[in-house]
Amino acid sequence: MHQSVRHFSTLRPQARRHFGVSRCLTAKAASARKPRERVEIPGLEMVTYGERMHYVPGLAKPVNPRWERDYKDPGRHRSPPIHEMLLYKEKPCYTYNQRTSLLEGTRQALWLTKTKLISGLPPRLFSLAESPANQIPDQDERVQNAIKNARFWDTTVERPGKEKYSNTLLINLLHLCATLQSSHPAIGRRILAEKYSLAATWEREEYLLQIRGQNGLLLNCMDPIPEVSGKQEVADTADHVLETFYPVSPTIDLQQVHVYKEEVNCIGFSDDYPYPHAHTLYFLDGVDTHCKLRPEQFRAKMVMFLFGNALARAHKLYGTQPQPILNRPITVQGVGTNGRIFQFMVFQLNTTDLSGDDGIKNQVIHLSYELCTL
């Protein structure tokens, strides 16, 4: 009898074992059930089991109206159709946010903001950087220590990720700049803000444009930055011809929406904020794991958010009506880095009349250099 039991045990199918795979992955997926098509014949009413209050074979399933709650349940809220929303408008609005990747990069950003690009910092800014009064004691050695701290000392891994050491390096360099407060008391009139929300609206030709979102770290100050370009240099921008990229549309890669607020402008802070002026914006490349921008698109992001901060401030000071030329241009600085390459920008808003290509243009000064190759 024991032999027969062993004989039948050999005929029994053996269970297949899957090592390293969970049971839910080895199970056979259930086939999707196709919904039965409902046929409606005009003039013929279907007999349902709705009046009997229970299922009856052979009778059709009743179609009941959607139950509307007499209270507000956020977990089961259903938004109305777009054309029924209160803020719906026929004219589309093209929006730019911190994850937008412009196809044409800097050229497209310059056209959208009506800006003239100037390569290289002016001599006046270079003289300020090279002045011994604006340098830190043992500056080269302390900067190298800041780099080593970000790449070697602040982590236990052999090769830290870009999102780790670039942020640490930026904080270390800002800390070195703060050590000059004893000789430069104006540093004490500034403050850092993180994750603030920006909103600005303008019109460019027949397009309505908005910039929204959070760009990163912002250094605010009590006093505005003096303008970089003089009145003659600003007047000379009227002869500058903006570069086009026909047949590509200027609004390509911008999000088109029909539900929006008109003339929304917000610098991200309340009106009584003691540090109302944007001084320097800091951009970190590669920190957002859900959005990877190429170098050209990263520079376009810097131009757009520098322009957005300056435009929102101009609307607070001069109103939303287009101004052909501002009595006092608004200047905002920007620093972008991926931990190895640093890019400096100075944006000067000279006009808020951005509808046409003629007249005064805005200005942006750009310079980039490689800090280290560790």
Side-chain angles (χ1 to χ4, degrees):
M1 181 175 180
H2 294 287
Q3 294 179 357
S4 61
V5 171
R6 287 195 297 268
H7 174 71
F8 284 110
S9 64
T10 57
L11 298 179
R12 187 181 305 165
Q14 298 293 330
R16 181 176 297 178
R17 297 181 180 181
H18 299 271
F19 296 98
V21 182
S22 61
R23 184 177 180 180
C24 61
L25 296 179
T26 60
K28 184 178 180 180
S31 58
R33 187 175 181 180
K34 296 182 180 180
R36 180 178 296 179
E37 182 181 359
R38 185 180 298 273
V39 180
E40 296 183 1
I41 303 176
L44 183 61
E45 184 179 358
M46 301 182 63
V47 180
T48 65
Y49 55 84
E51 296 181 355
R52 304 194 182 187
M53 304 297 291
H54 63 87
Y55 173 74
V56 177
L59 298 184
K61 181 180 179 180
V63 179
N64 299 317
R66 184 172 177 267
W67 176 55
E68 298 292 343
R69 296 174 176 81
D70 56 354
Y71 59 92
K72 185 177 180 181
D73 188 357
R76 293 177 173 84
H77 173 72
R78 286 189 178 183
S79 60
I82 294 180
H83 61 276
E84 296 181 4
M85 294 184 177
L86 297 178
L87 298 178
Y88 175 80
K89 299 172 183 62
E90 292 290 342
K91 183 178 180 180
C93 178
Y94 300 91
T95 62
Y96 182 94
N97 56 60
Q98 64 270 21
R99 291 184 177 180
T100 302
S101 178
L102 296 179
L103 176 65
E104 296 296 329
T106 307
R107 293 194 306 165
Q108 187 174 354
L110 295 177
W111 189 93
L112 293 174
T113 59
K114 194 180 178 181
T115 304
K116 175 184 177 181
L117 176 63
I118 303 174
S119 299
L121 296 180
R124 185 170 65 89
L125 295 182
F126 267 119
S127 62
L128 291 176
E130 295 176 355
S131 175
N134 299 327
Q135 294 183 0
I136 306 171
D138 301 330
Q139 178 172 292
D140 294 342
E141 180 181 357
R142 299 179 70 177
V143 169
Q144 291 179 9
N145 290 336
I147 298 172
K148 295 176 182 178
N149 178 47
R151 296 302 301 264
F152 305 126
W153 305 336
D154 190 52
T155 179
T156 57
V157 298
E158 182 178 356
R159 189 178 182 87
K162 184 188 299 184
E163 65 278 359
K164 171 66 177 178
Y165 71 78
S166 60
N167 182 56
T168 304
L169 178 60
L170 178 62
I171 298 301
N172 292 342
L173 296 179
L174 289 177
H175 177 72
L176 290 180
C177 296
T179 58
L180 292 174
Q181 184 173 350
S182 59
S183 58
H184 296 73
I187 297 179
R189 299 173 60 84
R190 305 169 187 172
I191 191 171
L192 285 171
E194 190 175 6
K195 293 185 178 181
Y196 76 102
S197 297
L198 173 69
T201 307
W202 75 99
E203 290 187 3
R204 187 77 171 93
E205 291 187 352
E206 70 272 13
Y207 305 109
L208 179 62
L209 304 171
Q210 285 187 358
I211 179 171
R212 311 174 188 170
Q214 301 176 355
N215 67 280
L217 198 62
L218 172 65
L219 180 65
N220 286 338
C221 58
M222 295 183 177
D223 308 310
I225 303 178
E227 55 270 16
V228 179
S229 301
K231 294 183 178 181
Q232 184 60 39
E233 296 177 354
V234 172
D236 293 341
T237 60
D239 301 330
H240 177 70
V241 179
L242 296 175
E243 185 179 0
T244 60
F245 32 88
Y246 180 83
V248 179
S249 173
T251 58
I252 191 172
D253 291 328
L254 297 180
Q255 183 182 5
Q256 180 179 345
V257 296
H258 287 270
V259 180
Y260 58 90
K261 290 183 179 180
E262 294 180 337
E263 297 183 357
V264 56
N265 294 280
C266 177
I267 61 175
F269 306 93
S270 58
D271 295 336
D272 57 348
Y273 188 60
Y275 305 89
H277 303 281
H279 187 280
T280 306
L281 281 76
Y282 299 97
F283 303 84
L284 291 176
D285 185 17
V287 175
D288 191 353
T289 57
H290 300 284
C291 177
K292 299 293 185 180
L293 296 178
R294 295 186 295 272
E296 184 67 19
Q297 281 66 33
F298 181 69
R299 286 189 291 269
K301 175 183 176 180
M302 295 180 62
V303 174
M304 293 296 295
F305 273 97
L306 289 175
F307 165 78
N309 280 270
L311 183 63
R313 185 59 188 167
H315 286 164
K316 290 286 185 181
L317 297 177
Y318 303 102
T320 57
Q321 293 297 326
Q323 301 290 332
I325 183 171
L326 301 180
N327 297 329
R328 184 172 183 180
I330 298 177
T331 306
V332 183
Q333 299 178 158
V335 178
T337 179
N338 60 355
R340 185 173 59 88
I341 299 176
F342 279 74
Q343 305 188 48
F344 297 90
M345 283 190 182
V346 181
F347 191 95
Q348 180 169 313
L349 185 71
N350 301 320
T351 177
T352 58
D353 186 7
L354 308 172
S355 57
D357 292 339
D358 55 345
I360 300 298
K361 313 294 189 305
N362 300 314
Q363 297 170 293
V364 61
I365 303 171
H366 174 257
L367 173 67
S368 63
Y369 74 94
E370 187 173 349
L371 179 64
C372 63
T373 58
L374 293 178

